[in-house]
Amino acid sequence: MPEYRLIYFDAMGRAELVRWIFAMADIAYTDERVSSEDWPERKKSIPGGKLPVLMVDDKVLRQSMAIARYVAREAGLVPQDNLEAAFCDSLVETVSEILLHLHKIMRTTEDQQERNTKIEQELIPNYVEPFFTSLDSQIQDHEWYFGDQVTWADLMIGRAFCTMVLTNEDLFNKFPAVRSYVEKVCALPGIQDWIQNRPQTTF
């Protein structure tokens, strides 16, 4: 087994899915967090000058989705069928786009009330609800998104919406099957422990 060192800011952000995959598979790694104060100096030594990066022994792997996909393969969380693996990739990218829209809202200079309004009036009706409608129909007859096997796509959905389950009851009342599914993902061995014990960050 290679020695893994995940380098990212002291935040969930683009590295959190990778941390979930490591936790699910019980794969040892170093979770190296860079503070905003230290980043200008550390940036000089980071290949490409962007985070996250995953050190695989002495090799540098960049780009969050490439990192997550590699670790998911190592963890056995990618379907062996190439088409199913591609569908898995597609789902992860779809959820990633939703998170990107959320992060754009959260990074504005507006106050929290204005952010909440944008989430309720723009993000949820235009992105989240259409996705939940599709997800609801997919999981009706399956234990997990792709049948009886947990994949990194399930983890991506849990990572994206586990907090929203607790904070947006009205939304999840419309999609009870999605609520149960997200809660089931977040209760997986390793994942539940990570959620309960991970460093507390603002995003």
Side-chain angles (χ1 to χ4, degrees), residues 34-72:
V34 181
S35 68
S36 56
E37 294 81 8
D38 293 340
W39 174 237
E41 186 62 31
R42 283 296 308 275
K43 184 176 182 178
K44 301 173 185 177
S45 64
I46 298 295
K50 293 182 179 180
L51 297 178
V53 298
L54 179 67
M55 301 299 301
V56 184
D57 292 330
D58 59 348
K59 298 180 177 64
V60 182
L61 182 59
R62 293 186 286 268
Q63 296 294 334
S64 58
M65 285 298 102
I67 294 169
R69 190 176 293 108
Y70 161 73
V71 177

Side-chain angles (χ1 to χ4, degrees), residues 26 32 57 69 71 74 77 90 92 94 119 125 138 175-176 197:
D26 194 23
E32 184 174 327
D57 292 330
R69 190 176 293 108
V71 177
E74 293 295 291
L77 295 174
S90 176
V92 170
T94 298
I119 290 171
Q138 175 66 23
F175 300 96
N197 296 290

Side-chain angles (χ1 to χ4, degrees), residues 1-59:
M1 178 70 70
E3 181 176 331
Y4 297 116
R5 181 160 59 99
L6 179 64
I7 307 172
Y8 191 60
F9 302 108
D10 187 19
M12 290 183 284
R14 295 181 179 273
E16 190 66 6
L17 175 59
V18 181
R19 297 181 183 124
W20 276 48
I21 297 168
F22 277 134
M24 175 69 188
D26 194 23
I27 295 175
Y29 73 105
T30 300
D31 186 16
E32 184 174 327
R33 294 172 180 247
V34 181
S35 68
S36 56
E37 294 81 8
D38 293 340
W39 174 237
E41 186 62 31
R42 283 296 308 275
K43 184 176 182 178
K44 301 173 185 177
S45 64
I46 298 295
K50 293 182 179 180
L51 297 178
V53 298
L54 179 67
M55 301 299 301
V56 184
D57 292 330
D58 59 348
K59 298 180 177 64

Side-chain angles (χ1 to χ4, degrees):
M1 178 70 70
E3 181 176 331
Y4 297 116
R5 181 160 59 99
L6 179 64
I7 307 172
Y8 191 60
F9 302 108
D10 187 19
M12 290 183 284
R14 295 181 179 273
E16 190 66 6
L17 175 59
V18 181
R19 297 181 183 124
W20 276 48
I21 297 168
F22 277 134
M24 175 69 188
D26 194 23
I27 295 175
Y29 73 105
T30 300
D31 186 16
E32 184 174 327
R33 294 172 180 247
V34 181
S35 68
S36 56
E37 294 81 8
D38 293 340
W39 174 237
E41 186 62 31
R42 283 296 308 275
K43 184 176 182 178
K44 301 173 185 177
S45 64
I46 298 295
K50 293 182 179 180
L51 297 178
V53 298
L54 179 67
M55 301 299 301
V56 184
D57 292 330
D58 59 348
K59 298 180 177 64
V60 182
L61 182 59
R62 293 186 286 268
Q63 296 294 334
S64 58
M65 285 298 102
I67 294 169
R69 190 176 293 108
Y70 161 73
V71 177
R73 287 197 184 103
E74 293 295 291
L77 295 174
V78 176
Q80 292 186 349
D81 179 83
N82 287 336
L83 183 57
E84 286 191 359
F87 282 131
C88 206
D89 290 351
S90 176
L91 182 65
V92 170
E93 294 289 354
T94 298
V95 178
S96 181
E97 288 177 358
I98 294 173
L99 289 178
L100 179 60
H101 287 293
L102 174 61
H103 292 159
K104 286 180 179 178
I105 293 173
M106 298 304 292
R107 288 175 181 170
T108 64
T109 58
E110 301 158 354
D111 64 28
Q112 190 59 48
Q113 184 175 350
E114 290 175 311
R115 291 173 178 172
N116 290 342
T117 299
K118 280 195 170 186
I119 290 171
E120 291 294 331
Q121 296 183 356
E122 298 178 17
L123 182 74
I124 288 177
N126 294 327
Y127 299 99
V128 178
E129 287 191 342
F131 175 72
F132 278 8
T133 299
S134 174
L135 177 61
D136 187 80
S137 63
Q138 175 66 23
I139 61 177
Q140 289 293 335
D141 300 319
H142 300 284
E143 183 177 3
W144 302 104
Y145 192 89
F146 289 100
D148 59 358
Q149 176 191 0
V150 177
T151 68
W152 70 306
D154 297 298
L155 300 190
M156 181 58 162
I157 295 170
R159 176 265 177 273
F161 301 112
C162 64
T163 300
M164 193 177 288
V165 166
L166 303 176
T167 59
N168 199 316
E169 186 174 352
D170 289 342
L171 171 64
F172 281 90
N173 283 342
K174 299 178 184 177
F175 300 96
V178 173
R179 177 199 295 274
S180 296
Y181 166 71
V182 172
E183 290 174 344
K184 183 170 66 171
V185 174
C186 297
L188 285 165
I191 299 301
Q192 185 177 52
D193 183 65
W194 170 251
I195 292 172
Q196 292 174 348
N197 296 290
R198 65 187 173 188
Q200 297 301 307
T201 59
T202 55
F203 67 94

